[in-house]
Amino acid sequence: MSMPFKYNISEILWSPVRALSAKKITLMTGYLIDALIFYDIFAYIALVIEGEKLSNIWKAYSFFPFVQFGFDDLAAQIVFAVGVSGAVLLVMMGMFAIAAIEIERIRGNPFMSFMQAIKFSFKRINQILLSEISIILFMVLIVGLFALFGSIGRIPWLGEWIMAVFFVIPGFIVAIISVFIMAVLCCSLLLLPATAAADRNGETFNSILETFSTIIREPARWVGYTAYSLVAGKLATFVYAFFCYLAINFSTWAIALGGGAKVERLLRSGLSHLPANAEFVKEVFSFYPGSSFAFNFKEWMRGGNDSWAGYLMAFMLFLIFTSILGYFFSILATAQANGFAVIRNAKDNHKISEEDSLFHTEEHINPPIEE
């Protein structure tokens, strides 16, 4: 029997603990890997369109082409933008799956399965995609209206006066609203998966409405809950990463007792194929950004070879590292789902815990008595 949901900050404080679940971490890790593969494919295609040779791209970037590309070809820019957008969408789908597990737990169903979460995320992919596209298209419309307003300024003498008169009202007012919408668009990358997961009917308008309503009516709560999840997520992820580091060292030492130096060489070979010295990796393995309290794999970076087993070991080490990021995003998604439930009750007096589960029906111990 699940514990009753408390509509206060205590539910958000437990997010790092609730996110520490094999099901949630595996789910998020899988979606992160899918996002990387999707991004890699389109980034490589964009670079080929730009005129780069495939062999040179592989030598320079391998599986991690995370640099700021400056594409001159319009087709390459479009392909690369599709790759980035698709990767972001896959990450949001992963956060949606975890948020759905949390929403079902709040509704009294703590047993939502791994496959149910995956199927549910793909079933609602249109809701997430169309919600983001709708906000973006609205911004494009506003930019178009501003461009049209700017064209009036080309009218000799009279155009400048018209622009001056209408610059504040409605020009400046609309600009303020537009900046706010852009801020909500950025926030929706975290919040929208939770609002979509809590929506019973999968309607695009409802997820957009709840996203804007949450930020407009309860900005302090949402910012506070999100800030806590980011800080707690970083600290909890560091602890999880440290345990992964100790586990790798221990397993290598223990196996080497029987396998000898060959085992250590295999680990070194795997690490030699990964960007273990990248700045992003260093930040993951540090207590906080720029902290000297950190750990690394420098002592294991040399002495490897180019065997196929080394590449397989690199993939296994990559899975472990991705699970660290998976835990971080799992914390964010868990906090967003619980935070949205608390905020929804505060602003609308609506308790998600009183809703029926979408994936579980209570069975009667005894069949109901017929009249």
Side-chain angles (χ1 to χ4, degrees):
M1 181 178 179
S2 58
M3 296 294 292
F5 188 81
K6 302 174 183 177
Y7 289 90
N8 54 47
I9 194 174
S10 64
E11 297 291 345
I12 292 84
L13 296 178
W14 281 99
S15 296
V17 177
R18 289 180 178 145
L20 191 59
S21 159
K23 177 170 60 178
K24 291 180 180 179
I25 294 176
T26 304
L27 260 175
M28 197 66 235
T29 300
Y31 277 100
L32 287 175
I33 292 175
D34 291 341
L36 175 63
I37 293 173
F38 190 91
Y39 170 80
D40 282 349
I41 292 173
F42 281 84
Y44 267 59
I45 293 174
L47 288 169
V48 170
I49 293 175
E50 192 74 4
E52 299 289 342
K53 290 184 178 180
L54 199 60
S55 58
N56 293 338
I57 300 173
W58 174 257
K59 290 179 181 178
Y61 305 114
S62 184
F63 287 109
F64 311 100
F66 297 126
V67 295
Q68 188 173 358
F69 296 109
F71 295 105
D72 297 324
D73 192 284
L74 179 60
Q77 294 175 8
I78 294 174
V79 169
F80 185 72
V82 171
V84 173
S85 302
V88 171
L89 177 62
L90 284 167
V91 173
M92 292 181 70
M93 286 176 63
M95 295 183 68
F96 171 91
I98 293 176
I101 293 174
E102 277 299 299
I103 294 296
E104 280 296 295
R105 182 190 65 82
I106 295 171
R107 289 171 177 158
N109 173 27
F111 304 111
M112 186 176 184
S113 68
F114 185 88
M115 290 307 301
Q116 282 178 331
I118 294 177
K119 291 178 181 178
F120 191 44
S121 68
F122 278 95
K123 182 180 178 181
R124 293 290 185 89
I125 185 174
N126 288 338
Q127 182 184 12
I128 299 173
L129 180 60
L130 292 177
S131 298
E132 292 293 328
I133 290 177
S134 299
I135 300 174
I136 294 173
L137 288 179
F138 187 71
M139 285 302 308
V140 171
L141 175 63
I142 292 177
V143 172
L145 292 176
F146 269 101
L148 183 62
F149 178 64
S151 64
I152 297 176
R154 296 178 178 271
I155 301 175
W157 187 81
L158 183 61
E160 296 179 357
W161 283 92
I162 294 176
M163 289 189 64
V165 170
F166 294 102
F167 184 80
V168 174
I169 301 176
F172 180 73
I173 305 300
V174 175
I176 287 290
I177 296 173
S178 302
V179 171
F180 173 76
I181 294 174
M182 284 190 287
V184 173
L185 178 62
C186 296
C187 296
S188 69
L189 299 178
L190 293 175
L191 179 58
L192 186 67
T195 60
D199 180 35
R200 300 184 64 85
N201 301 315
E203 296 180 1
T204 300
F205 178 77
N206 284 347
S207 58
I208 296 175
L209 178 63
E210 288 299 336
T211 300
F212 274 84
S213 176
T214 299
I215 296 175
I216 292 174
R217 296 178 60 184
E218 295 287 347
R221 285 178 187 263
W222 184 79
V223 171
Y225 295 164
T226 302
Y228 166 77
S229 67
L230 289 170
V231 175
K234 171 56 183 167
L235 299 180
T237 301
F238 173 78
V239 174
Y240 176 78
F242 184 65
F243 272 88
C244 290
Y245 170 79
L246 293 177
I248 291 173
N249 279 276
F250 172 76
S251 61
T252 304
W253 170 79
I255 297 173
L257 294 176
K262 188 175 182 179
V263 177
E264 292 188 5
R265 187 162 59 250
L266 180 61
L267 179 63
R268 295 176 186 274
S269 299
L271 284 170
S272 67
H273 301 306
L274 297 173
N277 286 327
E279 194 63 32
F280 175 73
V281 177
K282 293 178 181 178
E283 293 297 338
V284 172
F285 291 150
S286 62
F287 188 65
Y288 60 84
S291 171
S292 58
F293 184 40
F295 56 93
N296 55 63
F297 289 92
K298 287 183 179 180
E299 67 273 16
W300 297 98
M301 291 293 293
R302 297 179 181 178
N305 53 45
D306 290 328
S307 65
W308 285 105
Y311 284 100
L312 180 59
M313 176 59 75
F315 176 72
M316 296 302 174
L317 293 172
F318 173 71
L319 287 180
I320 295 173
F321 177 78
T322 310
S323 75
I324 299 173
L325 302 180
Y327 178 44
F328 177 75
F329 280 99
S330 179
I331 294 173
L332 296 184
T334 300
Q336 290 296 316
N338 287 281
F340 175 70
V342 174
I343 292 174
R344 181 82 185 275
N345 179 61
K347 68 184 181 69
D348 299 327
N349 197 27
H350 178 85
K351 294 184 176 181
I352 294 178
S353 59
E354 296 179 354
E355 297 178 354
D356 293 330
S357 168
L358 294 176
F359 298 93
H360 177 71
T361 303
E362 291 288 345
E363 297 182 0
H364 294 284
I365 299 176
N366 297 314
I369 300 175
E370 297 181 0
E371 295 182 0

